[in-house]
Each structure stands twice: as C-alpha cells, then as structure tokens.
C-alpha cells in the first residue's frame, strides 16, 4: 500500500517554463509552416499536423493527470481503511 506523494508540488517557475517552452515550440512550427517555400496545400497539411499534435498533447496531459488523481484517491481510501481497522483494533481483547 502506498501513500500519495504530496511533497512534489510544482513551482510557479516550472509552470512558467513549461508554458514558455510550449509556446516557443508551437510558434516555431507555425512560423516554419508559414514561411516554408512550398505549395499552399503542403502548408495546410503542416498546419493541420501542428493542430493535431497540439490537441493530442493536451489530451495526453489530461489523461496522465486524471490517472494520477485516481491513484491518489485510491491510495487515500486504502489508507483510510487501514486507519479505521487500526483504530478499532484492541490488542488487549481476549481471543475466544
């Protein structure tokens, strides 16, 4: 049985770094797709690919977050059950 790790909270600097990194990567891809010397249909294909990759990244991040939250809930329920059993246990009660 594991307990949830509550000591690893992300800092504001980490969130800022992740947001800036994502924005730079997305802008670089959009800039490259716009200024690439190719026909418009190739540019449109790259734009749709960028959009698909962006939405897939957000969906994956949401799924990972939801899975971690579910694990945390199960661990808290298991810990609550163990705490209840230990609080009800009387080591001096005679076994008959």
């Amino acid at each position: 049985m594991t307990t949830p790790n509550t000591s690893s909270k992300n800092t504001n600097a980490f969130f800022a770094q992740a947001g800036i990194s994502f924005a730079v990567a997305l802008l670089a891809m959009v800039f490259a797709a716009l200024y690439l010397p190719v026909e418009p249909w190739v540019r449109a294909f790259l734009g749709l690919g960028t959009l698909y990759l962006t939405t897939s990244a957000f969906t994956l991040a949401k799924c990972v977050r939801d899975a971690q939250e579910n694990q945390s809930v199960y661990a808290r329920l298991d810990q609550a059950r163990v705490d209840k059993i230990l609080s009800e246990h009387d080591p001096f009660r005679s076994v008959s």
Side-chain angles (χ1 to χ4, degrees), residues 33 36-49:
L36 191 65
V38 293
E39 296 179 22
W41 71 269
V42 175
R43 217 176 261 129
F45 179 77
L46 290 174
L48 283 175

Side-chain angles (χ1 to χ4, degrees), residues 1-56:
M1 186 172 339
T2 61
T3 58
N5 186 5
T6 58
S7 65
S8 65
K9 296 289 182 182
N10 293 329
T11 63
N12 290 334
F14 178 76
F15 282 122
Q17 178 185 0
I20 291 169
S21 174
F22 176 76
V24 168
L26 182 62
L27 289 175
M29 184 60 198
V30 169
F31 180 79
L34 289 177
Y35 291 102
L36 191 65
V38 293
E39 296 179 22
W41 71 269
V42 175
R43 217 176 261 129
F45 179 77
L46 290 174
L48 283 175
T50 301
L51 181 64
Y52 179 64
L53 183 61
T54 303
T55 57
S56 296

